[in-house]
Amino acid sequence: MADGISNGTHSKKALLSDSQLFEAKFDELVTELIERDLKDPGLADALNRHREVLVYNVPGGKKNRGLSVIGSLRELLPPSQLTQDVVERALVVGWCIELLQAFFLVADDIMDGSVLRRGQPCWFRKEGVGLDAINDSFFLESALYRLLRKYCREQPYYVHLLELFTETTYQTVLGQTLDLMTAPPGDVDLSRFSMEKYKTIVKYKTAFYSFYLPVAAAMYMAGITNDVEHNHAKEILLEMGEFFQIQDDFLDCYGDPAVTGKIGTDIQDNKCSWLVVKALEVMSPEQRTVLEACYGRKDDASVEKVKALYKSLQIQTLYHKYEEESYQRLQKLIARCAVTLPTTVFLNFANKIYKRNK
């Protein structure tokens, strides 16, 4: 179904695309959280701060996660069931996922000491913010549960959504913990890196919340609670999440910061990325000695030596080979697992990320 046709809204909104509907909903939700939720005048300063936190950190990304809720729901329900209320709630749940994402990113940027996020200074780098950003990240997480309660409390899927969000948060925290333990700053030990370890980090840190969460939320909203169908969806979406993260690792090294909106620092940060794990699989002992001397160092000369090593190992060629093979494997997985679910739910997601440059 095309965006904007029978989109479950009335009057002027009837011709808006899902993307436009989603954008418009954000301001409403900010007003709900800041002006209508708690009206204690003593909280005015805190709430004004939280407005700034929301506006700076939540709406700036590609919004693929949030938009995938309404996009998936349109594939799972017939148009007759896509009432205005159903569409509005799907938009809210989509923004709850974007709030969760913002919570993770604000905290992640502090832990990584990052500089840019989405083309602007990381929130904690902003003058007057600093480590107060830790508390701001807590607000972003708590805000999503206030919105879920406000808009979905009376729905039969409310508890499913609560469990889905809390479980996904726990999974992501486990992935982040493993990521931090595998590559502590200033403690370079390449023996900690392996493809198995890398895939576990990716599965828990990225794939659950970026891919399974939005589609699973739409499935619950459509009344699909069967474990078999959720497990089929999970198998496809976790594979897609791995594909996405490997792209992200590639773009960290080879992407254009003007396009990606961030400066890649995986080499300097001693990250267990796909590039270094793949390099370790194919390099000679002599090349490993060079890598051990340079990886995880902040100076430009060391970074350039690592990149030169990647070039000599033809890591870019190996990546493009992986990308093509992974996409073909994904197509087969969708054909095999999406037995009772519309394949378009997964194909739409796959087509958004294949050969992306940011």
Side-chain angles (χ1 to χ4, degrees):
M1 183 190 302
D3 270 2
I5 298 173
S6 184
N7 64 9
T9 57
H10 306 307
S11 67
K12 291 180 181 177
K13 289 186 177 179
L15 296 177
L16 295 179
S17 68
D18 282 344
S19 182
Q20 290 169 319
L21 289 170
F22 194 62
E23 294 283 353
K25 195 69 184 171
F26 180 70
D27 288 341
E28 289 180 40
L29 298 182
V30 171
T31 300
E32 175 63 41
L33 287 165
I34 304 303
E35 297 175 22
R36 297 187 195 135
D37 189 11
L38 296 174
K39 296 184 178 179
D40 184 340
L43 291 173
D45 289 346
L47 291 169
N48 283 331
R49 161 66 172 238
H50 286 170
R51 183 194 298 275
E52 189 182 357
V53 173
L54 289 166
V55 171
Y56 193 92
N57 293 291
V58 181
K62 298 182 287 293
K63 306 178 190 70
N64 284 340
R65 296 167 183 82
L67 280 165
S68 292
V69 179
I70 181 61
S72 299
L73 199 60
R74 289 198 186 282
E75 303 294 341
L76 296 168
L77 288 179
S80 60
Q81 291 182 33
L82 285 164
T83 64
Q84 183 173 5
D85 284 347
V86 169
V87 169
E88 294 285 325
R89 281 192 289 271
L91 298 174
V92 171
V93 173
W95 277 115
C96 287
I97 293 174
E98 293 296 324
L99 279 162
L100 186 69
Q101 154 90 338
F103 158 54
F104 291 148
L105 296 184
V106 168
D108 194 56
D109 285 343
I110 297 168
M111 287 179 262
D112 287 348
S114 300
V115 177
L116 286 181
R117 171 68 67 181
R118 295 170 172 171
Q120 60 184 6
C122 297
W123 176 244
F124 83 100
R125 296 276 185 192
K126 207 164 176 289
E127 189 175 351
V129 177
L131 293 183
D132 289 358
I134 296 169
N135 190 61
D136 296 331
S137 75
F138 298 159
F139 160 68
L140 292 167
E141 184 193 23
S142 59
L144 81 87
Y145 291 105
R146 300 192 77 80
L147 292 176
L148 282 180
R149 185 178 68 175
K150 166 77 176 174
Y151 289 91
C152 301
R153 193 178 193 178
E154 305 304 319
Q155 301 306 311
Y157 50 75
Y158 179 55
V159 172
H160 284 301
L161 289 185
L162 287 179
E163 290 183 344
L164 179 65
F165 273 89
T166 54
E167 178 71 7
T168 302
T169 302
Y170 182 60
Q171 289 161 330
T172 307
V173 169
L174 284 172
Q176 175 71 350
T177 302
L178 197 56
D179 190 26
L180 293 168
M181 290 175 69
T182 304
D187 181 12
V188 181
D189 181 358
L190 299 181
S191 67
R192 293 192 188 106
F193 295 175
S194 68
M195 194 58 79
E196 182 183 10
K197 176 74 66 69
Y198 172 79
K199 289 186 175 187
T200 304
I201 292 170
V202 168
K203 176 181 175 181
Y204 284 92
K205 185 180 175 180
T206 301
F208 275 111
Y209 95 86
S210 296
F211 290 85
Y212 178 61
L213 173 60
V215 176
M219 289 170 69
Y220 284 128
M221 295 178 82
I224 301 169
T225 59
N226 185 297
D227 283 347
V228 172
E229 289 177 296
H230 273 270
N231 286 335
H232 280 153
K234 193 180 294 181
E235 187 176 353
I236 295 166
L237 293 160
L238 292 183
E239 174 78 20
M240 211 177 286
E242 181 181 298
F243 175 61
F244 175 86
Q245 184 58 52
I246 291 171
Q247 285 179 313
D248 231 35
D249 291 353
F250 179 80
L251 291 172
D252 183 273
C253 185
Y254 297 108
D256 179 356
V259 177
T260 63
K262 56 187 178 183
I263 298 168
T265 59
D266 281 359
I267 294 170
Q268 296 94 316
D269 294 341
N270 185 32
K271 286 291 181 182
C272 180
S273 88
W274 185 86
L275 303 181
V276 71
V277 171
K278 198 68 190 171
L280 286 165
E281 287 183 349
V282 298
M283 64 176 40
S284 67
E286 292 77 18
Q287 289 170 320
R288 184 180 177 113
T289 301
V290 174
L291 187 65
E292 285 173 339
C294 298
Y295 202 73
R297 297 187 180 277
K298 305 290 185 186
D299 62 286
D300 291 344
S302 294
V303 173
E304 288 308 312
K305 283 181 184 176
V306 174
K307 289 184 177 181
L309 199 56
Y310 287 169
K311 186 174 182 180
S312 68
L313 294 167
Q314 298 186 304
I315 293 297
Q316 282 184 275
T317 303
L318 291 173
Y319 165 76
H320 291 302
K321 181 173 180 283
Y322 163 82
E323 184 179 40
E324 194 55 44
E325 287 173 352
S326 179
Y327 188 73
Q328 296 307 320
R329 191 165 61 248
L330 205 49
Q331 300 291 322
K332 290 175 184 174
L333 194 59
I334 291 169
R336 179 169 61 83
C337 290
V339 182
T340 55
L341 295 168
T343 57
T344 45
V345 171
F346 308 104
L347 291 171
N348 289 346
F349 226 148
N351 290 334
K352 278 181 186 174
I353 63 171
Y354 183 54
K355 290 196 180 295
R356 69 190 175 97
N357 62 0
K358 65 177 180 177

